[in-house]
Amino acid sequence: MFRVFAVAFLMVLAPPGLAQAHVVESGADLRVTQTFRAGEVTLVVARVTQVPASLRVSAQAIHPTSAALELEVRSLTDGSSSTGSVRVGEDPTALPIGHTGPHELHVRAGDEISVIPFRVLVPGHDPWAMVTDGAFLISGLLLVGGVLTGRLSRPIVGAASASVAAAIVLTVLQPSLPAPPEGAAPVAEVGRPYAQARFSTLPVRPATGAEFTLTLRLTDGSTGRPVDDLAVHHEAPAHLVVTSEDGAVLRHVHPLRTAPGVLAVRLRVPQPGRYLAYAEFERQESGGQLVSGAFEVSGAAQSDAPVHDPAEPRLTPATPTAGSPVTIEVSVAGPVQPWLGMPGHLIVRSADGVHLTHAHGMKGGGSALRFTLTFPERGRYLAWAQYAAEGRLVTRPFTVAVNR
Ligand SMILES: [Cu+2]
């Protein structure tokens, strides 16, 4: 009883554990969004509490596609694997696994394959819990024994009190002596070096209206080796924003990991000219990073390209100032579905392409999404509010003038 109370108390005091978004553990499901040619899919790998287990994998999408995804889960510990297939919005498939530790989820859609590394973690064996339980058990036995025999002498009460005190001390110490989950990676002492990024397209000179592959190669700034330790943040290992220089075209996609340190996505754009590409990602145990590149598209403009519905946002203050936060409210029609774990996203690029920022929106007053951000310097900014509604991704462009 006392232990239950003490533990409950500690749970309130103890800070919540750092989110380890690239792992499958008893705490949370792993959600990874990937942009395939057929559409964007969020793979959901359900939590496990023990191994062997059946790993339940399902697929979700804003805009459901009927295409099946072929799945394979592979243990990097012994190479064992199991396969299955899943359709968006349907029941999860169960893939048997036998180990904790590093795994890969291979996802195939048509001729595209993404290999998603992740770790299976289960609660570790905690030697302190046994000691604490033992101490409480001894104190309980001493007290109960004393009451039953009618001899609650001072030595017995003293021994019981000592056991309770020892148990409390151990319980208090436990958060600083946690058992690492089984299957966890060794902890690096410091953050990782910056990743150096190189963007390329195939073909080298894409044509309007024709599919091309945009590839991002990441190498470690220290060793020059491929960067293959991206953490999943906002439900994707990397967020890629591609804009035409004039801002008329925007693509916000989540590239596939095609090889260690290589991320690729198939794109099609309607307008020729220069395009700016930005990728946001996070190495494990390190901060976020934004890298950029550019490429050229030739050919004639496609007249049948879908046109975005411009937004007329409400700004507070009405004239934003560089270096001070501004609140931007964008009205939405109809109920908003979560996308990448948030109701809304706002991408902001300076007209010259030097700055790119990304803000997350909360539901504001009435049917509006509210974003708060700070512009770094005066000038004209291109902005795109994005949210999911009625089974599609809505992009609402607007511009903001920052005067001083
Ligand atoms: Cu994204």
Side-chain angles (χ1 to χ4, degrees):
M1 179 61 198
F2 197 94
R3 176 155 197 261
V4 169
F5 177 77
V7 169
F9 181 62
L10 282 166
M11 279 166 66
V12 177
L13 281 184
L18 277 177
Q20 279 192 294
H22 53 285
V23 301
V24 170
E25 59 182 330
S26 45
D29 298 344
L30 173 69
R31 299 174 59 86
V32 183
T33 301
Q34 298 276 272
T35 307
F36 291 97
R37 178 200 283 125
E40 190 169 274
V41 178
T42 302
L43 292 141
V44 184
V45 184
R47 66 198 78 180
V48 294
T49 53
Q50 59 179 48
V51 284
S54 272
L55 206 59
R56 290 161 61 83
V57 183
S58 56
Q60 300 174 352
I62 299 168
H63 182 73
T65 57
S66 57
L69 299 166
E70 301 299 325
L71 305 177
E72 179 184 358
V73 67
R74 194 177 289 175
S75 163
L76 300 185
T77 309
D78 68 352
S80 61
S81 70
S82 54
T83 59
S85 74
V86 71
R87 283 177 190 276
V88 169
E90 294 190 358
D91 289 340
T93 187
L95 304 173
I97 53 162
H99 301 275
T100 57
H103 283 73
E104 285 177 349
L105 179 65
H106 297 234
V107 185
R108 180 196 286 271
D111 64 343
E112 293 179 285
I113 298 186
S114 184
V115 178
I116 302 161
F118 68 99
R119 275 180 180 270
V120 174
L121 304 187
V122 300
H125 173 71
D126 182 356
W128 289 98
M130 262 171 63
V131 178
T132 322
D133 289 348
F136 274 113
L137 184 66
I138 290 165
S139 64
L141 287 176
L142 285 169
L143 286 173
V144 170
V147 168
L148 287 182
T149 57
R151 278 182 290 161
L152 207 56
S153 62
R154 283 182 78 170
I156 289 180
V157 173
S161 303
S163 298
V164 170
I168 292 170
V169 167
L170 286 169
T171 305
V172 169
L173 281 178
Q174 267 182 39
S176 58
L177 301 163
E182 200 183 318
V187 177
E189 309 88 64
V190 288
R192 316 276 165 103
Y194 273 132
Q196 289 166 346
R198 203 153 44 86
F199 283 95
S200 61
T201 59
L202 192 72
V204 175
R205 190 70 180 243
T208 52
E211 186 183 274
F212 64 97
T213 303
L214 177 62
T215 301
L216 170 62
R217 286 184 171 77
L218 298 175
T219 49
D220 185 285
S222 164
T223 64
R225 294 182 49 76
V227 164
D228 203 27
D229 56 2
L230 298 188
V232 173
H233 77 293
H234 299 304
E235 299 191 355
H239 298 259
L240 181 61
V241 169
V242 174
T243 61
S244 58
E245 199 164 34
D246 66 358
V249 181
L250 171 86
R251 298 284 184 272
H252 172 182
V253 291
H254 304 97
L256 314 180
R257 174 182 173 272
T258 55
V262 183
L263 300 168
V265 66
R266 314 268 179 110
L267 294 174
R268 211 183 274 271
V269 293
Q271 174 180 306
R274 185 173 161 82
Y275 281 78
L276 307 176
Y278 305 83
E280 254 183 34
F281 55 84
E282 224 175 271
R283 298 187 73 177
Q284 286 166 29
E285 294 151 26
S286 298
Q289 204 183 326
L290 179 72
V291 296
S292 61
F295 61 91
E296 297 279 339
V297 173
S298 49
Q302 310 277 296
S303 54
D304 57 347
V307 177
H308 296 306
D309 182 15
E312 279 176 26
R314 207 177 67 169
L315 273 58
T316 313
T319 311
T321 313
S324 299
V326 55
T327 300
I328 298 178
E329 280 194 316
V330 177
S331 63
V332 294
V336 168
Q337 302 165 238
W339 178 52
L340 306 168
M342 293 283 167
H345 299 257
L346 180 69
I347 295 165
V348 176
R349 199 200 86 187
S350 57
D352 62 7
V354 170
H355 299 291
L356 184 96
T357 46
H358 179 184
H360 291 122
M362 294 301 161
K363 292 209 175 79
S367 57
L369 287 171
R370 182 184 293 148
F371 304 91
T372 301
L373 75 159
T374 299
F375 291 92
E377 60 181 340
R378 60 171 293 174
R380 198 171 75 90
Y381 290 81
L382 311 173
W384 300 264
Q386 291 194 298
Y387 57 90
E390 292 170 338
R392 68 190 186 103
L393 178 65
V394 181
T395 300
R396 309 275 313 272
F398 58 94
T399 60
V400 178
V402 177
N403 288 340
R404 60 188 165 83

